[in-house]
Amino acid sequence: MAKISSSLPVLNVLSHNGAQHGYQYPTAGAVGILKNPGLHSCSECGLIRAFSDRNISSIPLPREVLLQDRMIQYVKCHPESGPAWEPAGLGCSSPPAGSRLAPRLFGGNELEQEGTGHSAWLGAGVSPLVLIVRARSLLSLLCRPSRKGTCRCGPCARRAALAGLGRDYLEHITSIGPRTTGSPENEIVTVRYLLEQIKLIEVQSNSLHKISVDVQRPTGSFSIDFLGGFTSYYDNITNVVVKLEPRDGAQHAVLANCHFDSVANSPGASDDAVSCSVMLEVLRVLSTSSDALHHAVIFLFNGAEENVLQASHGFITQHPWASLIRAFINLEAAGVGGKELVFQTGPENPWLVQAYVSAAKHPFASVVAQEVFQSGIIPSDTDFRIYRDFGNIPGIDLAFIENGYIYHTKYDTADRILTDSIQRAGDNILAVLKYLATSDMLPSSSKYRHGNMVFFDVLGLFVIAYPSRVGSIINYMVVMAVVLYLGKKFLQPKRQTENYPKDFLCALGITLISWFTSLVTVLILAVFVSLIGQSLSWYNHFYVSVCLYGMAAVAKIILIHSLAKKFYYVNASDQYLGEVFFDTSLFVHCVSLVALTSRGLCSAFISAVWVAFPLLTKLCVHKDLKQHGAQGKFIAFYLLGMFIPYLYALYLIWAVFEMFTPILGRSGSEIPPDVVLASILAGCTMILSSYFINFIYLAKSTKKTMLTLTAVCMVTFLLVCSGAFFPYSSHPASPKPKRVFLQHMTRTFHDLDGNVIKRDSGIWINGFDYTGMSHITPHVPEINDTIRAHCEEDAPLCGFPWYLPVHFLIRKNWYLPAPEVSPGDPAHFRLVSKEQTPWDSVKLTFEATGPSHMSFYVRTHKGSTLSQWSLGNGTPVTSKGGDYFVFYSHGLRASAWQFWIEVQVLEERPEGMVTVAIAAHYLSGKDKKSSQLDALKEKFPDWTFPSAWVCTYKLFVF
Ligand SMILES: [Zn+2]
Ligand SMILES: [Zn+2]
């Protein structure tokens, strides 16, 4: 910002937080859009409060919106003159004549008037009441940074400043700190901040629109098939809901959802404050727009998503506006910053994908991600599931996916999110919401339900989408082409030396053997590395996995084929062998194409690409190969034809690793991550090598290649075994922390008569990954294998205060004895009544009071079953392992939690019919801490992320 000098007029803008910004004219981007005289928006901080200026105040401001640039220019040209509106040149960045101009894209009013060019509206005394424009083009035309990457003037500079509005919201929300449900930070401070901003937006809004705000505090319960299944109960949690609709109301609405709560100990910038910031800004832009909406847009800022999707459930099942909703957009994060990926759409409703494809300015979407996510192998879930399953509404699920290493950690801070990311997401969400809010499809969305869509982006440049039915037809046409191509070869008359069918089958066998042995090789390596305690060596340095497993896999494939060439195909011509092996690869991909298509998987399009392009290339270069052999021209053509499938495969593989590598750092103590990664790498190697195997037969020798690969692999292997690659990092630029949960707990076990039979206290330690505590032990010697926690066989979930039912993923835990905890707000649990029902079961009614988060665990004894309960839909849902897990949480205040379970006793037994336990988790405030916990946390090295809290656990038998 320029320094204020006395010779130029100064505009004073009082920002929302009371700070006064002085802007000197001319300062591009300093001033936003004027709506009413005296009201200005500050594009640095985004909000309007007051305005005064010794020169501008004398200008009679029109009631309608003005493009601020003109005023700046006006003042620049006539600093001390009167009020006449004399058009001035736009100075440094004039738009081309005939172009459509937008004063702002994301972050500003969209003023619309088509057609007239810049000279027309400037010269012809066009009323400044209405100014040109359309969002789409201006920034693309004007906002090109100079080559050096700096914005010099006008809209370009303003764009950067305006994306700053979203950033301002983001910084405010994250500065509140971790926002767990039930904490004052979440329930009071954040809610108040959101309401204040919404109020300010309302003040600015165009009279075309109506804004209604509601704070909902729902109570409810549901069961969910996530993490092996469990039941959730919530009381008085918070939703801030804003409805933007045409002045005379709307019958249909599109929902935009974000969550402002965070996990404990994380500022939750990417997950999910940035999405709420983007939504605020989109709300502001839409509400000040002079474009009419046909339908309502409901913005839900939900305050309990990290509580396993409770707030969205409360909204969709209870809020009166929920019945208006025909489609939704959910904004989430599985990483920090970067681009937001559409990783789920539907169910069905192809029109939604089409809406995204045609509206989004920077589309990024993948049906492969959708199918991977919906297969359940990624241990996370989003509100998408709730809207789909409980609201029966179709939608689009978007998430920031980059840098999953720090997702849900203290490193998820606002400064790691580039302003470009906010701008991108804002552009996309604004455009898509606007599209849906004016769409004719929205009101009768159920009519357009049919079928799935194949959709994928091409290198992030554009998205291709088509119905899966069309996809199947294309796929089967490709299969037919292969059948014709191979069929012709199979049926051709045998030559003296060549028996194609036999050679083809042999080649297929050799290919499969090479793949199998390559997989076995990398698995042996991975198991060995895991056994010697060097797992995850590639977690911080990804190239290690490529050098170790990737090279081993390639070397093995080449070895097998080289051996076959040398010993088996002694007399065959290289050219013929090259062709046969090409055909086998084509066949294998064709088989996978048939398999995927027949299973109805949209991801089959990848196999189609991997069959169609090589086949086409082959047919094109066939003659050349026949006449001249594998000469330069042939190779050049061949590589050109392979370019698209390979480029696309590499792009996809990159995305897969970007997503999967971080997940392997939090996938529990049971799955060896090296085995998973090595298998994925072997799979990728098989695919990528397939059309290059024929070169092994065309090449003179493969010795050098093999030696190089083996040498790289061996050196990496030795380095990995010696522990040269430490998995974690605390590097501020790209931290890769090890996640650890520390729960300081006091457990009390009662017997059937209510006597305390055991009481212990300690810090219960859970590592999230396969390396357990092995890297931590040198720093915290008291944590070693002698303090491994032992499963209480008779207690549900081993008698531990699990926060989520992840007991089957993390079986190795540690337990360090410590003094008792004494939270200021102790949890109380009691049996209210025990009744015999007329249908011969026992109904136990309980009451619990305590902190915002509690878990209730049930195990029925032999001879008893749980037949009903007052939770979920009434039918008890078991967790993995057969016990029952209930996740309870409340907002700031809630009455005692009363619920009942009904036990069917088939056989009376001396040990009772049921064991229940309740854990109270203190995730915020004073009760969260203990001096022992703090002391232990202190000892943890900086490359760890210990998330610590206090909890109590009580077990009863009835
Ligand atoms: Zn989230
Ligand atoms: Zn989250």
Side-chain angles (χ1 to χ4, degrees), residues 259 271-272 305-306 332-333 408:
H259 66 90
D271 185 16
D272 197 26
E305 189 273 348
E306 300 294 0
E332 256 301 347
H408 279 191

Side-chain angles (χ1 to χ4, degrees), residues 575 620-635 637 698:
Q575 204 174 313
C620 291
V621 298
H622 180 66
K623 241 191 188 158
D624 201 56
L625 179 71
K626 275 235 153 127
Q627 284 168 3
H628 311 289
Q631 297 300 316
K633 198 173 152 202
F634 162 78
I635 294 173
F637 263 120
L698 295 170

